[in-house]
Every structure is written in structure tokens, then in C-alpha cells.
């Protein structure tokens, strides 16, 4: 049975939901306070659909469960898959880098861009959204680890950037996103998530225009979601734990 078999995907999805629920309990958080985003980079369309169908079936027995979110890293995959998911009506996020020349493509399919890593990018999104008469949910990506391989604004600049983004017409600041440190030291990983939470709290509690909705913390992945939930994650992004090893492009 392949890693993309619908039965395997459904089983692993249930296992991840159990992990999230256990992490919520361990952190003393309310059940359902953490949403699950399925990171579908390089996952074939049939695998994504299988996960969405499995999620819908599971929620039929649990009306309190929130639907999973879909997250794409690459604009070309986002645009290619989105039309074939319309019947399942998922909320689709862009979670990877966005180049300014692909803004229009991203806006055609994404309901949220989590990877806003500069005010310049936010301004481009805002201009296009205002012209189209729409409001786009966004998050500011912060590089809490300081690793050169990670995208995101520097933590020292994150509050100012978030406040500036929150004030732009056409955008709704929903919170912050980060990719945790690539480290076997859980304390180092967790400290980064703690830092993101502190930045979020400062933005949310600032009283500045557009910050009231900045409540989300998108952080934690398959290997460290428990650490992220313990530090306040509201969205965890999981790929291999649900889909198995990624297909080779």
C-alpha cells in the first residue's frame, strides 16, 4: 500500500489529530484551540483530496472539530491544484515565499498569505486587493531562529512591520508565522516559539489600527508540533506526518 493510499492518509490524519489533542491537554488548553494545516508541497492532487475527504468524514462524527486548512509552498502548485479542490471548499493558505511578480497568481487562489516577510510585499498585496475590492488575510513571517536558510523579518523589526501591515487597506492582519529552528535541542526550538508568542502579544495588545484580529500563531510542524502547542500555537503545519515521505519531484 503506497504512502498516498487514502486509507493510509486517513489513518495518519487521525493520528495527528490525536497528537494535537494530547498536546492541548498537556498544555492546559481548550480542546480545538489548535487548527491543523496540511502542508501539501509536492503532494499529488489525489492525495490532497483524500486528506480532505478523510477530514470531512471524521468531522461528521465530531461536529466540534474544525476543518483542516491547506497550505501550499509554491505559487505554481497553489494555482494548479486550487481549481480541483473547489467542490471540497478548503481554506487555502500560501505558506512559502512569494515573489512580487507572482502576486496576482497567488491572489487568484489563496485566502491567506502567511509568508509576508516585508512591508514592500504587503504593500503590493494591499494595492492589488484594494483595486479588486477584496480583503486578504495575511500573517507576518518572522525568522525567530536567525538561520540564514529561513525567510522572515528579524524579530527586532517584527512588531513595527506587523503594525505597518495592519494599517494597510485591503489586508487583514491575522497574526504571525515562523519556521522553527532546525535543531535537536527542544529548548532552542521552544524558545523561538516563545519569542513569536511575545511578539504576537505585543502587536495584538498594542491597540493600533488593524491589530485586533492579529491572534494567530502559525508555528510547529510534524516533528515539533507539541513544543509549538505548549507555547501557544493556534495553527500547526503538518505534511509528512499525514502524507508520508514526499514524492520526489
Amino acid at each position: 500500500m503506497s504512502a498516498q493510499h487514502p486509507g493510509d492518509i486517513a489513518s495518519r490524519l487521525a493520528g495527528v489529530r490525536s497528537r494535537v489533542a494530547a498536546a492541548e491537554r498537556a498544555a492546559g488548553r481548550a480542546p480545538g484551540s489548535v487548527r491543523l494545516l496540511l502542508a501539501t508541497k509536492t503532494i499529488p492532487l489525489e492525495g490532497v483530496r483524500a486528506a480532505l475527504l478523510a477530514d470531512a468524514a471524521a468531522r461528521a462524527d465530531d461536529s466540534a472539530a474544525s476543518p483542516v486548512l491547506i497550505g501550499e509552498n509554491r505559487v505554481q502548485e497553489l494555482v494548479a491544484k486550487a481549481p480541483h479542490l473547489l467542490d471540497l471548499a478548503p481554506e487555502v493558505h500560501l505558506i512559502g515565499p512569494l515573489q512580487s511578480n507572482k502576486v496576482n497568481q497567488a491572489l487568484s487562489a489563496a485566502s491567506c498569505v502567511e509568508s509576508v516577510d516585508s512591508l514592500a510585499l504587503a504593500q503590493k498585496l494591499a494595492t492589488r486587493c484594494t483595486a479588486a475590492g477584496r480583503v486578504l488575510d495575511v500573517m507576518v513571517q518572522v525568522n525567530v531562529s536567525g538561520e540564514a536558510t529561513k525567510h522572515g523579518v528579524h524579530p527586532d523589526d517584527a512588531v513595527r512591520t506587523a503594525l505597518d501591515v495592519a494599517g494597510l487597506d485591503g489586508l487583514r492582519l491575522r497574526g504571525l508565522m515562523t519556521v522553527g529552528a532546525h535543531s535537536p535541542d527542544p529548548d532552542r526550538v521552544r524558545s523561538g516559539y516563545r519569542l513569536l508568542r511575545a511578539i504576537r502579544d505585543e502587536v495584538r495588545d498594542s491597540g493600533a489600527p488593524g491589530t485586533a484580529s492579529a491572534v494567530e500563531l502559525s508555528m510547529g510542524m510534524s516533528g515539533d508540533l507539541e513544543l509549538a502547542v505548549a507555547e501557544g500555537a493556534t495553527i500547526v503545519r503538518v505534511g509528512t506526518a499525514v502524507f508520508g515521505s514526499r514524492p520526489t519531484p
Side-chain angles (χ1 to χ4, degrees):
M1 190 177 288
S2 80
Q4 300 302 313
H5 188 280
D8 279 354
I9 289 174
S11 176
R12 287 192 293 259
L13 178 59
V16 170
R17 281 202 177 277
S18 294
R19 283 179 62 191
V20 171
E24 288 172 337
R25 290 192 299 272
R29 298 180 57 183
S33 58
V34 181
R35 294 193 69 182
L36 180 60
L37 180 148
L38 302 182
T40 53
K41 174 183 174 181
T42 74
I43 302 302
L45 177 64
E46 57 268 25
V48 181
R49 288 187 60 86
L52 289 170
L53 290 169
D55 178 64
R59 286 187 291 106
D61 297 324
D62 182 3
S63 59
S66 298
V68 295
L69 309 170
I70 294 296
E72 283 289 351
N73 285 73
R74 299 168 177 166
V75 173
Q76 57 267 38
E77 284 193 73
L78 171 77
V79 173
K81 292 174 187 172
H84 303 286
L85 302 175
L86 290 175
D87 59 314
L88 301 175
E91 182 177 334
V92 181
H93 292 200
L94 180 66
I95 59 175
L98 175 59
Q99 298 173 340
S100 59
N101 64 345
K102 294 184 178 179
V103 163
N104 285 345
Q105 291 175 279
L107 290 176
S108 71
S111 57
C112 177
V113 176
E114 295 194 12
S115 49
V116 173
D117 59 2
S118 70
L119 180 59
L121 175 58
Q123 289 169 332
K124 287 184 172 64
L125 289 167
T127 298
R128 305 291 170 81
C129 288
T130 300
R134 67 175 286 192
V135 176
L136 175 72
D137 286 346
V138 297
M139 300 185 199
V140 171
Q141 183 172 358
V142 183
N143 184 352
V144 297
S145 71
E147 294 167 336
T149 55
K150 302 287 196 302
H151 293 271
V153 301
H154 191 281
D156 291 348
D157 301 323
V159 171
R160 182 70 264 164
T161 300
L163 295 179
D164 288 342
V165 171
L168 294 173
D169 292 336
L171 303 184
R172 180 188 296 111
L173 180 66
R174 296 301 309 278
L176 305 175
M177 183 268 266
T178 197
V179 178
H182 183 65
S183 171
D185 180 0
D187 290 337
R188 183 182 174 211
V189 176
R190 190 164 174 170
S191 68
Y193 294 152
R194 190 178 305 121
L195 174 59
L196 193 74
R197 184 183 66 194
I199 296 169
R200 188 279 313 268
D201 291 352
E202 185 173 348
V203 172
R204 181 196 60 195
D205 299 341
S206 67
T211 57
S213 60
V215 298
E216 304 287 1
L217 287 173
S218 177
M219 59 189 194
M221 297 187 288
S222 293
D224 63 5
L225 68 84
E226 286 84 0
L227 300 177
V229 172
E231 291 299 338
T234 63
I235 297 172
V236 292
R237 307 184 305 274
V238 174
T240 56
V242 170
F243 296 107
S245 299
R246 294 189 183 280
T248 301

